Amino acid sequence: MTDVQPLAVGTPGADLSAAITDFESNLLARADRMGLPSQNVLVSIPQRVTVLNGLDSALDTLPEEKRADSLYLSKFLIAVSAGLFDAALNYLWDETITELRKRIVDYDLAYFFDLAATSPEKRKELSGPEDLAKLTDDEVIRAAAKIGFISDLGLHQLDLVRFMRNHASAAHPNQHSIQPFQLLGYVETCITEVITLPQSSTMVETSRLLANVKQEAVTKEIAAGYATLFSELRREQIEALANGLFGIYVSLASTALMRDNVRALLPYLWPHIPTDVRAAFGVRFARFQANLDVDQATLAREFLQRVDGEGYLPEGTRAADIDILLEQLTSAHGAMNNFYNEPPIARDLQKFVGVAPVPDGVRRKYAEALVEVFLGRASGISFSADPIYEEMLRQLTPEEASMALLELTSSSVSGRLSYSVPRAQAERLLEILRPKLVLAQAIALEKAVTAFTGGPESLIHDSNIKRLRAALESEIG
């Protein structure tokens, strides 16, 4: 293509619009001569200039040393200049995920895999940095948020960016368009909420703790010194740390020193671990047994024995069967052809749950999964599975209904409530849950949600709703 001249962007004194016009004319002329479409291919030049002029400001918070390694941001810049906003958004997302993976590797990869793996079977597949590619972007983001790499607000914003990346970028065929200020906003979100987000003091302390567990003897005095840190952690941080220590304990690669250290720390962490998380360790014990992982089953039981937690071992393998089906259902819900693949799994889940109480180890996970699949996706719901979900929701106990209400008002759901289908489903869900709520905190939270005048996607930012959620979370443990 010798007749296509390079684009002079950023050259002192260059007329940016004129440079782009000249570049575009040559490029589209070549496409036309080759018999390829040349109309409605590129974003208009004024829109490109808007983004290019605003990019300096959007990149203000990105340090020079990070810019030097930001290959995908260079591709983003070139794609914008060429008028390919859909490709630019894809490159921006690639930069965000690439940076997030780097930060995860630098922090504690094994700890991250313990949180990201949805099952013991999947955890076996994850060991080195190259295995991060085996996780979906959604799995990476959710686990990173549990650790603290992404704030609650950042998780909500990234959900929106990811939705646009999946439905309006070059990642998939589509007919949607992206506006200039939208694109600039996505740049600022990815840089501020992921790429340059500093580690909190809690993350630093947790990282130091995990390093000590793996390298140095943790005496009783040292373990007691972490009691203050444990008392200051949020629920999701407690859950993440507990799962991380459990992962260390049951790993066949761990040394005797590591397990001694976990046993020293566990009595100080255990009082802060929510009931459903404790019971989930029992479920994992059952899954090790079901998979004939005898050594890991023995270690899982030892973990619970250290804190007199054998009462959390589940009834037979029923809990493990339900746990597996919940993972299959949520995985199918998030994948292609979900409207076709969800119903048979939903029917199996309904059969396994039956009329007996849902085992403690999977109750919270069960309620949360039902909320996720019942809300559907921005593109619609699985009509064949919907009545099954509704029937299971109507069988929830009052406590499980409270768990579902907490999930409905959580940061992991808020992003989807920006779209009409999940929003309508959320209203149906509230109608189902309302008569089941008996705890004063649950009733108060439901009334606050119903009375909320902002968009449902903004629920998580309301201080009163945050306070009511915290009170209900404390009540149900």
Side-chain angles (χ1 to χ4, degrees):
M1 295 179 61
T2 56
D3 57 340
V4 177
Q5 300 301 313
L7 177 61
V9 176
T11 304
D15 183 336
L16 187 57
S17 181
I20 293 176
T21 299
D22 187 50
F23 173 74
E24 177 180 294
S25 297
N26 289 330
L27 199 61
L28 292 181
R30 169 56 66 94
D32 195 50
R33 286 197 298 276
M34 296 175 69
L36 296 173
S38 59
Q39 299 297 317
N40 301 318
V41 175
L42 305 176
V43 173
S44 72
I45 292 174
Q47 288 183 313
R48 285 179 251 175
V49 171
T50 296
V51 175
L52 292 171
N53 285 339
L55 200 54
D56 281 338
S57 176
L59 296 177
D60 272 348
T61 57
L62 188 63
E64 292 293 335
E65 61 273 16
K66 281 192 175 292
R67 296 189 189 197
D69 295 327
S70 299
L71 177 63
Y72 287 112
L73 286 184
S74 289
K75 294 186 177 185
F76 170 90
L77 174 65
I78 293 170
V80 168
S81 303
L84 300 171
F85 280 12
D86 51 356
L89 179 56
N90 204 39
Y91 287 133
L92 175 62
W93 186 255
D94 288 343
E95 182 67 38
T96 304
I97 294 299
T98 298
E99 177 60 28
L100 191 53
R101 288 175 175 174
K102 289 178 184 176
R103 300 187 73 179
I104 288 165
V105 171
D106 291 341
Y107 186 75
D108 192 304
L109 188 58
Y111 175 45
F112 176 81
F113 283 151
D114 287 335
L115 300 181
T118 55
S119 67
E121 297 84 359
K122 187 164 188 174
R123 180 64 181 89
K124 290 180 180 179
E125 302 174 3
L126 307 173
S127 57
E130 67 281 358
D131 293 325
L132 281 167
K134 296 179 181 178
L135 299 171
T136 66
D137 290 352
D138 185 61
E139 288 172 327
V140 170
I141 289 171
R142 302 294 162 194
K146 287 182 180 178
I147 294 175
F149 281 117
I150 304 169
S151 66
D152 285 346
L153 177 60
L155 180 61
H156 170 64
Q157 292 176 323
L158 280 178
D159 271 341
L160 297 179
V161 177
R162 185 167 64 92
F163 177 84
M164 290 299 292
R165 184 258 182 183
N166 288 340
H167 293 84
S169 83
H172 305 287
N174 68 86
Q175 300 298 321
H176 302 291
S177 61
I178 305 169
Q179 300 305 309
F181 290 108
Q182 266 186 306
L183 195 56
L184 285 170
Y186 299 152
V187 174
E188 292 179 347
T189 291
C190 292
I191 289 175
T192 304
E193 300 299 339
V194 177
I195 297 175
T196 62
L197 186 71
Q199 289 190 11
S200 67
S201 59
T202 298
M203 288 181 66
V204 173
E205 285 294 315
T206 302
S207 178
R208 187 178 297 125
L209 167 61
L210 292 169
N212 288 344
V213 165
K214 295 175 181 178
Q215 298 172 8
E216 303 174 6
V218 177
T219 65
K220 185 176 181 179
E221 292 73 25
I222 293 174
Y226 282 105
T228 300
L229 170 65
F230 297 156
S231 67
E232 293 174 349
L233 295 177
R234 303 190 310 273
R235 184 194 191 279
E236 59 268 26
Q237 292 173 318
I238 286 287
E239 180 179 355
L241 181 56
N243 278 302
L245 293 178
F246 181 87
I248 291 172
Y249 198 88
V250 302
S251 172
L252 299 181
S254 293
T255 64
L257 173 65
M258 293 179 190
R259 295 194 183 100
D260 288 345
N261 289 341
V262 172
R263 284 195 294 269
L265 291 164
L266 197 51
Y268 299 97
L269 180 64
W270 190 258
H272 305 287
I273 300 176
T275 303
D276 63 294
V277 178
R278 297 179 183 184
F281 295 141
V283 173
R284 291 169 76 173
F285 160 81
R287 291 189 68 166
F288 286 138
Q289 280 196 321
N291 293 332
L292 301 181
D293 294 324
V294 178
D295 291 339
Q296 288 188 290
T298 300
L299 291 168
R301 188 169 193 129
E302 279 182 12
F303 182 91
L304 291 170
Q305 287 173 330
R306 177 66 181 92
V307 284
D308 298 324
E310 287 182 285
Y312 291 99
L313 294 173
E315 48 183 90
T317 60
R318 179 169 172 265
D321 288 336
I322 293 174
D323 193 48
I324 291 170
L325 285 168
L326 289 173
E327 289 171 6
Q328 291 175 348
L329 182 60
T330 53
S331 177
H333 179 71
M336 296 288 289
N337 300 320
N338 66 300
F339 297 156
Y340 174 80
N341 293 326
E342 285 181 45
I345 305 173
R347 283 190 286 271
D348 284 344
L349 177 62
Q350 188 179 37
K351 179 181 67 177
F352 268 90
V353 171
V355 295
V358 178
D360 284 343
V362 291
R363 287 180 76 205
R364 183 72 176 253
K365 187 173 182 177
Y366 176 71
E368 291 176 350
L370 284 184
V371 170
E372 179 180 351
V373 295
F374 182 77
L375 289 179
R377 290 162 50 161
S379 54
I381 62 173
S382 174
F383 290 107
S384 296
D386 184 69
I388 302 173
Y389 299 148
E390 179 173 344
E391 187 173 344
M392 287 191 284
L393 284 166
R394 293 192 183 280
Q395 295 300 319
L396 294 179
T397 66
E399 187 172 14
E400 289 160 358
S402 294
M403 295 173 180
L405 180 61
L406 283 170
E407 178 65 5
L408 181 61
T409 55
S410 71
S411 58
S412 63
V413 165
S414 64
R416 271 179 290 165
L417 299 183
S418 303
Y419 305 101
S420 59
V421 171
R423 189 183 302 127
Q425 290 292 95
E427 293 176 1
R428 282 182 62 201
L429 179 57
L430 279 174
E431 292 177 2
I432 294 171
L433 297 180
R434 194 172 288 122
K436 295 179 173 294
L437 303 175
V438 297
L439 294 175
Q441 295 88 343
I443 294 171
L445 177 58
E446 184 278 325
K447 287 182 177 178
V449 171
T450 301
F452 187 72
T453 56
E457 70 276 8
S458 302
L459 283 169
I460 60 167
H461 308 310
D462 183 81
S463 58
N464 183 47
I465 287 176
K466 284 183 178 180
R467 178 182 59 80
L468 293 171
R469 287 189 84 257
L472 178 56
E473 191 82 71
S474 177
E475 176 65 19
I476 66 176

